Amino acid sequence: MRSNFKTFGTCLWLGAVLGMSGCSSLMMGKQYVFPKPEEPSATVRLQYTPGTNLRLISIGEDRCYAGYTPAPGANGFFDTPVHVGKELVLAYALSSGDKVCQVPFSFIPEPGAIYTLRAGSWTLPKQSFLFNQTVDQEYCGVQVIKSQNGVESVEPVQHLRMRPGLCVKFLKTGT
């Protein structure tokens, strides 16, 4: 009887470990499928700083959020191959203390190009409703620099906003 209990306990423990190891992929939803080595691709790069996060967002056929994949990184950079010729949706985030900068955006990568992301933040004065004072409003953003055939240029990106609901959609700003 003790042997059966030990076997049951071992199976239960093993099942819990396997379930928990798959839990993160279940929570992340549909994963981004990276291009195969023989497929045309581009590269997205971002220098890693503490608190930096870059995610590749999966969008379903209904244009609803389907999941995300953390960008792989090594040697102080997020450096990942991506598909070309179709919209790539990324979410950049930087957490610093109690401040969080999150920028969802998209663009269409071209074959062989390297897209280096540069992020920054700034403040602008804004008139306060209370006591006729001016307060600093904080902003953050991402710039995409495309390098292709030895030529660098600023890539136009589409900034996105999330529309919550049963189907979370990433909408172009202004819509």
Side-chain angles (χ1 to χ4, degrees), residues 85-101:
K86 60 182 178 179
E87 181 182 35
L88 173 68
V89 178
L90 298 171
Y92 164 83
L94 175 63
S95 299
S96 177
D98 62 345
K99 297 178 184 177
V100 177
C101 167

Side-chain angles (χ1 to χ4, degrees), residues 66-87:
Y68 73 90
T69 303
N75 302 322
F77 280 90
F78 294 106
D79 201 4
T80 183
V82 295
H83 290 281
V84 298
K86 60 182 178 179
E87 181 182 35

Side-chain angles (χ1 to χ4, degrees), residues 8 30 36 42 48 50 58 64 88 99 110 120-121 151 160:
F8 174 74
K30 180 181 174 189
K36 296 176 183 162
Y48 174 80
S58 298
C64 292
L88 173 68
K99 297 178 184 177
E110 296 178 13
S121 60
V151 177
L160 305 171

Side-chain angles (χ1 to χ4, degrees), residues 44 46 52-58 65 67-71 78 88-94 101-107 117 142 158 160 162 170:
V44 172
L46 172 66
T52 303
N53 191 331
L54 182 64
R55 294 177 174 175
L56 293 93
I57 305 297
S58 298
Y65 170 83
Y68 73 90
T69 303
F78 294 106
L88 173 68
V89 178
L90 298 171
Y92 164 83
L94 175 63
C101 167
Q102 292 186 356
V103 182
F105 63 99
S106 69
F107 64 97
L117 309 181
V142 174
Q158 177 63 58
L160 305 171
M162 289 175 43
F170 282 87

